[in-house]
Amino acid sequence: MSAAPLKTTPLHARHLAAGAKTADFGGWDMPIEYEGVVAEHTAVRSAVGLFDVSHMGKVRIHGPGAAAFLNSVLANDLDRVDAGQAQYSMLCNQEGGVIDDLIVYRWGDDEVFMIPNAANAPTVVAELQGRAPAGVSVDDHHRDHGIIAVQGPRSADLLDAMGLPTDHDYMAMASAQFGGQPLIVCRTGYTGEHGYELVAPADVLVDLWDALLEAGQPFGAVPAGLGARDTLRTEMGYPLHGQDISPTITPVEAMLGWAVGWAKPEFVGRDALVAQREAGPQRRLRGLLALDRGIPRPHMQVRRDGGDDPLGGEVVGEVTSGTFSPTLKQGIGLALLDVSVAVDDEVVVDVRGRASRFRVVKPPFVEPSTR
Amino acid sequence: MYPEELRYTAEHEWVRATDSGTIVFGITDFAQDSLGDIVYVSLPAAGSTLAAGAACGEVESTKSVSDVYAPVGGEVVAVNGALDAAPETINTDPYGDGWLVELRTTDPEAMQGLLTAADYRALVEKA
């Protein structure tokens, strides 16, 4: 824990007034829950939830060849998307580990916007600034914009009621106005539901939040905290940086090969990742679905069934994310498992000294409705 | 929030003496609020004997897990089996239907050594 005071978003006073419990999240004092994780999770799956995710980074990369420069650094192939589309990508290190995963908004060949994770944003900015050619600028706009995620089956109804654009494709952006200020409405999210992420100037964020809550009342809109965001993303098997992916966990191991531009001549970590992909990884990120009442948590050991001594089996991996699934009402998790472990195998997790049984599965645990 | 007729522990449990000479315990309103939505409870087997202060179960929420400790020593007379299907009862009624364990204590005097409601409130407000 650093001694630096926690940063807050423009909505912090709103969260406290709504009774939120807050906690340090990447150096930011963020709402974890308001009414409760399960109620907020359920609201997002059945209606619509509003998340303040303004702690996430905002980086503008601009100048002649900005997109081509980024494409020579980031893992995914930015040329797979057109202007006006967003893409999930990663910044890797030379060893192929993931420095951060991020969403890239491609506005044009010379204009790109990026959303890195809160804690990693300064590193991402420094890495890109260090590599940027003359004429390409990498500007950190972390505090200049806020982000509100509007997620759930009623999210389009809510934005329609606000007069905001909703018809664009999944992973596409639309420009709009709110309070006389420019607003980006992107069809992205971290919940597996149909949803939008609204990027707005920090000084209109409180008004936007209030307007969304008011317009959302008929649709059952509630504020939702990062606790529900974590249970929602875990049900989808979406990785969280720092747990399921990290500078020592590669996209090949994390089953994120789909987000790597293998045909590109150049990106950071390419040699290491190509070699690992050809040789085959030693471990893979898999899902764990509880066969009993156990709830997996990060860092718990995964073992082969030891028979009479259930916890005596060989260690085959470690849980990287785990929680109780409010939708399935059972324990779910993600784990880095030795490649000798196959999907549908039964394994044992050491839950504080108790043997809990899990089936190895391919996520998602709950069918996504993003489109 | 902290009923006067109950005794409390620094582990955020409450203890009630029953008319039949047993004691019932559970977790406090502060504890359930700190844990958040409770999704799983494991409790000791009826008939087992617990030493005072022994970890004898767990209360797990979406976010975290907390051990259950025997506030006094004794034999487990009953556990709240309804929590298996409805663990959220601890959130909604921590001092009533959300009780955890009933004990026949071997040391009736031990109850007097626990915190009063005023002591416990002071402890929580300091936290």
Side-chain angles (χ1 to χ4, degrees), chain A residues 7-331:
Chain A
K7 296 185 273 286
T8 58
T9 80
L11 300 176
H12 194 255
R14 284 288 188 275
H15 302 321
L16 297 183
K21 286 179 199 161
T22 67
D24 179 1
F25 199 94
W28 294 69
D29 190 39
M30 296 302 291
I32 300 303
E33 63 175 46
Y34 303 81
E35 293 301 318
V37 171
V38 174
E40 293 159 29
H41 179 110
T42 305
V44 172
R45 288 270 180 263
S46 62
V48 54
L50 306 180
F51 299 83
D52 178 13
V53 289
S54 302
H55 61 307
M56 302 196 72
K58 302 100 191 164
V59 185
R60 181 184 173 211
I61 302 96
H62 59 109
F69 155 63
L70 262 191
N71 208 19
S72 71
V73 177
L74 301 184
N76 207 341
D77 187 350
L78 195 52
D79 288 337
R80 286 177 188 166
V81 303
D82 297 325
Q85 291 181 319
Q87 182 183 61
Y88 176 81
S89 192
M90 288 167 282
L91 173 61
C92 291
N93 56 34
Q94 296 293 352
E95 294 73 42
V98 182
I99 294 173
D100 198 17
D101 64 337
L102 26 83
I103 298 287
V104 183
Y105 294 10
R106 181 171 192 154
W107 289 112
D109 291 350
D110 305 333
E111 185 72 45
V112 185
F113 193 73
M114 262 179 20
I115 313 282
N117 282 292
N120 297 329
T123 311
V124 170
V125 169
E127 283 279 338
L128 293 180
Q129 283 175 340
R131 293 172 184 275
V136 172
S137 298
V138 179
D139 302 338
D140 187 350
H141 289 284
H142 208 139
R143 308 298 290 266
D144 304 336
H145 307 278
I147 307 178
I148 298 172
V150 182
Q151 302 280 305
R154 304 305 299 275
S155 57
D157 293 333
L158 167 47
L159 294 200
D160 282 342
M162 298 258 302
L164 294 172
T166 57
D167 287 344
H168 44 306
D169 290 340
Y170 181 57
M171 298 299 287
M173 299 94 76
S175 297
Q177 292 269 316
F178 179 82
Q181 299 270 357
L183 179 71
I184 305 169
V185 180
C186 194
R187 273 275 317 271
T188 45
Y190 198 42
T191 63
E193 293 300 325
H194 186 108
Y196 304 84
E197 289 175 305
L198 277 48
V199 183
D203 55 8
V204 299
L205 207 67
V206 169
D207 287 346
L208 180 60
W209 179 260
D210 290 349
L212 285 164
L213 273 178
E214 193 182 332
Q217 264 194 353
F219 309 112
V222 297
L226 298 187
R229 195 161 181 261
D230 193 57
T231 53
L232 288 158
R233 72 92 191 169
T234 305
E235 287 186 344
M236 290 302 127
Y238 294 160
L240 173 64
H241 192 271
Q243 291 184 196
D244 313 297
I245 48 177
S246 78
T248 57
I249 303 171
T250 72
V252 175
E253 294 168 326
M255 311 301 273
L256 293 171
W258 61 270
V260 176
W262 295 108
K264 292 199 297 182
E266 184 189 7
F267 60 91
V268 182
R270 184 180 188 278
D271 292 350
L273 289 171
V274 167
Q276 187 181 46
R277 186 188 189 214
E278 281 171 6
Q282 297 298 303
R283 53 185 189 170
R284 288 196 189 103
L285 192 69
R286 295 294 194 194
L288 297 177
L289 183 62
L291 298 171
D292 55 28
R293 300 294 297 271
I295 301 171
R297 302 291 181 183
H299 307 303
M300 287 179 176
Q301 278 188 338
V302 184
R303 293 174 176 267
R304 294 249 181 231
D305 188 350
D308 292 342
D309 175 16
L311 286 176
E314 176 199 3
V315 174
V316 289
E318 186 178 290
V319 176
T320 51
S321 283
T323 190
F324 173 81
S325 161
T327 304
L328 302 178
K329 309 218 179 299
Q330 65 194 121

Side-chain angles (χ1 to χ4, degrees), chain B residues 5-83:
Chain B
E5 69 276 18
L6 304 180
R7 291 297 181 116
Y8 298 85
T9 74
E11 309 291 352
H12 305 288
E13 290 175 355
W14 57 264
V15 185
R16 171 187 289 128
T18 70
D19 294 341
S20 53
T22 61
I23 68 109
V24 171
F25 70 90
I27 67 169
T28 66
D29 186 60
F30 176 85
Q32 71 78 18
D33 187 60
S34 306
L35 277 165
D37 290 331
I38 292 165
V39 294
Y40 178 58
V41 181
S42 71
L43 296 172
S48 58
T49 301
L50 306 177
C56 62
E58 290 175 344
V59 177
E60 186 154 15
S61 71
T62 51
K63 300 182 293 207
S64 62
V65 60
S66 178
D67 282 321
V68 174
Y69 299 95
V72 297
E75 185 191 338
V76 177
V77 177
V79 298
N80 187 354
L83 297 177

